[in-house]
Amino acid sequence: MMMNISNPSFYKTIHKDTPASRAVLETVKQSARRHLLKWVVCAALMALLLSSFLLMQTNASGGHTIPGADEQLIVVSSGDTIWGIAQRYTKDADDIRFNVYKIKERNQLATVTITPGQKLIVPKL
């Protein structure tokens, strides 16, 4: 049996549009909007929290400026390099490369780049 769906009056006789069904549909739409808004706000807060943790940085020698008993605190001058500082404090028989490594390690430096005015702790070399 074939039904003629092209007739709009036939569709309306089967599917009654009552005020009660409209109210239920409107309630569902409002509930969906509220939940969607909550999810969007939660996602934005999580993204903000994650990005703030990722953007946190520490100073190269922050908090470690108190030298131990056998260490020296120096202030970097213009033109100073870690190699030059290590060379100043290295004995003749010692390897300068290892002392550069020790200075970087003690001051938690990721690179050998230092800036004038920066405080470095030179461990016993």
Side-chain angles (χ1 to χ4, degrees):
M1 180 168 151
M2 302 243 337
M3 298 176 73
N4 187 3
I5 300 178
S6 63
N7 186 356
S9 63
F10 177 73
Y11 180 81
K12 288 182 182 179
T13 57
I14 294 175
H15 301 285
K16 301 278 185 197
D17 192 18
T18 62
S21 65
R22 284 185 195 159
V24 169
L25 184 61
E26 194 61 34
T27 304
V28 169
K29 284 181 182 179
Q30 287 175 355
S31 176
R33 283 187 201 127
R34 279 195 310 254
H35 289 297
L36 180 64
L37 182 62
K38 287 178 187 177
W39 278 104
V40 168
V41 169
C42 285
L45 286 175
M46 291 300 289
L48 181 65
L49 184 65
L50 178 65
S51 64
S52 67
F53 280 123
L54 293 176
L55 294 176
M56 283 187 202
Q57 295 181 8
T58 59
N59 192 359
S61 60
H64 301 286
T65 57
I66 302 172
D70 55 350
E71 298 176 325
Q72 292 182 344
L73 178 66
I74 63 165
V75 178
V76 176
S77 301
S78 179
D80 278 347
T81 62
I82 292 183
W83 184 273
I85 293 168
Q87 196 171 23
R88 267 186 264 156
Y89 292 96
T90 301
K91 298 176 181 88
D92 291 331
D94 292 341
D95 186 12
I96 294 175
R97 294 171 295 179
F98 182 68
N99 293 335
V100 168
Y101 168 76
K102 285 170 59 175
I103 292 172
K104 279 180 57 180
E105 182 87 6
R106 174 60 175 96
N107 293 283
Q108 299 176 350
L109 299 173
T111 65
V112 293
T113 306
I114 54 176
T115 57
Q118 183 177 359
K119 294 178 183 178
L120 292 177
I121 296 175
V122 179
K124 183 177 180 183
L125 302 177

